[in-house]
């Protein structure tokens, strides 16, 4: 059983931007801005999909995670996971679930375990998704260090996205970074 709990929290410092100036290959652009469930799209590309939980902890929202809907100091559950397709780590995800969101129909989200967040929230008729922001992560980033710990090849830059979901109008922030072997970096017509 894979255990990366000693790496928790990986954290994620990023300069999130709604649009990036530079050219994004079509496949990467498609994965970065796909509003559907990332879990569902990854599952469609592999035989065995799994979530490995790096860690989950109640914290007060820190500056680098804060956003319009989740301010610094807001009590949140931070959840960090790896999404695997056929034993290849595809995505590092860091989600912030405010305690104020984990009420009523959403209370069970604090106890997902290895169930993918997307698998449950996309079933909700009360789900809305805000706009995407994207960011690059360089070789000095915490995600690059995680990729190294996963013995993945070094890469100059990794790309990630962040969006705010609303469940019954209560916010939940999800950031996902595509790891070096991700389908997102494979050219069209490749194996992805
Ligand atoms: C939001 C989704 O859920 C995925 C699963 C996550 C989890 O289990 O923590 C986190 C981010 C996503 O990559 C999705 O599938 O789109």
């Amino acid at each position: 059983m894979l255990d990366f709990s000693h790496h928790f929290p990986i954290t994620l410092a990023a300069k999130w931007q709604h649009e990036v100036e530079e050219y994004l290959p079509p496949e990467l652009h498609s994965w970065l801005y796909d509003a559907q469930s990332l879990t569902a799209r990854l599952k469609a590309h592999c035989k065995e999909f799994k979530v490995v939980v790096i860690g989950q902890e109640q914290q007060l929202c820190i500056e680098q995670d804060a956003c319009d809907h989740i301010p610094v100091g807001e009590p949140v559950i931070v959840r960090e996971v790896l999404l695997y397709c056929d034993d290849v780590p595809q995505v590092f995800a860091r989600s912030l679930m405010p305690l104020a969101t984990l009420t009523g129909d959403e209370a069970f989200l604090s106890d997902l375990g290895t169930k993918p967040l997307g698998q449950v929230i996309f079933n909700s008729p009360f789900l809305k998704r805000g706009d995407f922001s994207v960011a690059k992560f360089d070789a000095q980033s915490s995600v690059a260090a995680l990729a190294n710990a996963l013995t993945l090849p070094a890469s100059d830059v990794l790309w990630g996205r962040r969006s705010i979901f609303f469940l019954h109008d209560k916010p939940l922030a999800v950031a996902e970074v595509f790891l070096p072997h991700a389908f997102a970096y494979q050219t069209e017509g490749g194996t992805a």
Side-chain angles (χ1 to χ4, degrees), residues 34-42 49 51-53 56 79-83 91-95 97 112-122 127 129 161 163 165 172-177:
D34 187 345
Q36 298 309 307
S37 166
L38 186 53
T39 295
R41 187 165 178 180
L42 289 171
F49 173 85
V51 175
V52 172
V53 180
Q56 184 166 309
R79 171 180 166 91
E80 293 185 340
V81 303
L82 289 165
L83 305 184
V91 170
F92 162 68
R94 177 178 168 91
S95 303
M97 302 187 275
L112 283 171
T114 56
K115 191 182 290 183
L117 174 65
Q119 190 169 302
V120 289
I121 64 175
F122 277 88
L127 178 74
R129 185 171 206 167
R161 67 191 199 155
S163 61
F165 288 96
L172 188 156
V174 175
E176 299 145 316
V177 182

Side-chain angles (χ1 to χ4, degrees), residues 2-183:
L2 294 165
D3 178 4
F4 300 107
S5 53
H6 53 293
H7 289 282
F8 182 80
I10 304 295
T11 72
L12 206 51
K15 188 165 160 270
W16 297 107
Q17 297 173 293
H18 283 300
E19 290 298 333
V20 288
E21 309 288 304
E22 65 199 274
Y23 168 76
L24 293 173
E27 191 70 3
L28 176 58
H29 189 281
S30 159
W31 284 87
L32 280 171
Y33 289 96
D34 187 345
Q36 298 309 307
S37 166
L38 186 53
T39 295
R41 187 165 178 180
L42 289 171
K43 281 184 171 180
H45 279 83
C46 64
K47 291 187 183 65
E48 192 217 348
F49 173 85
K50 71 174 172 230
V51 175
V52 172
V53 180
I54 297 173
Q56 184 166 309
E57 192 177 81
Q58 182 174 325
Q59 298 178 354
L60 300 180
C61 182
I62 56 176
E63 180 69 37
Q64 67 187 31
D65 286 329
C67 58
D68 293 353
H69 303 279
I70 307 178
V72 173
E74 172 91 17
V76 294
I77 286 188
V78 172
R79 171 180 166 91
E80 293 185 340
V81 303
L82 289 165
L83 305 184
Y84 277 76
C85 283
D86 300 333
D87 292 328
V88 175
Q90 288 279 325
V91 170
F92 162 68
R94 177 178 168 91
S95 303
L96 294 180
M97 302 187 275
L99 298 193
T101 295
L102 300 175
T103 58
D105 289 351
E106 284 69 43
F108 77 101
L109 291 175
S110 60
D111 197 16
L112 283 171
T114 56
K115 191 182 290 183
L117 174 65
Q119 190 169 302
V120 289
I121 64 175
F122 277 88
N123 288 335
S124 166
F126 304 104
L127 178 74
K128 282 184 257 156
R129 185 171 206 167
D131 294 339
F132 284 105
S133 300
V134 298
K136 292 194 289 189
F137 299 87
D138 64 20
Q140 281 66 50
S141 65
S142 60
V143 192
L146 173 65
N148 184 44
L150 293 167
T151 62
L152 292 170
S155 42
D156 296 344
V157 67
L158 296 174
W159 284 90
R161 67 191 199 155
R162 184 173 76 164
S163 61
I164 312 295
F165 288 96
F166 298 91
L167 286 154
H168 286 107
D169 297 322
K170 298 178 289 183
L172 188 156
V174 175
E176 299 145 316
V177 182
F178 294 105
L179 295 170
H181 283 326
F183 299 126

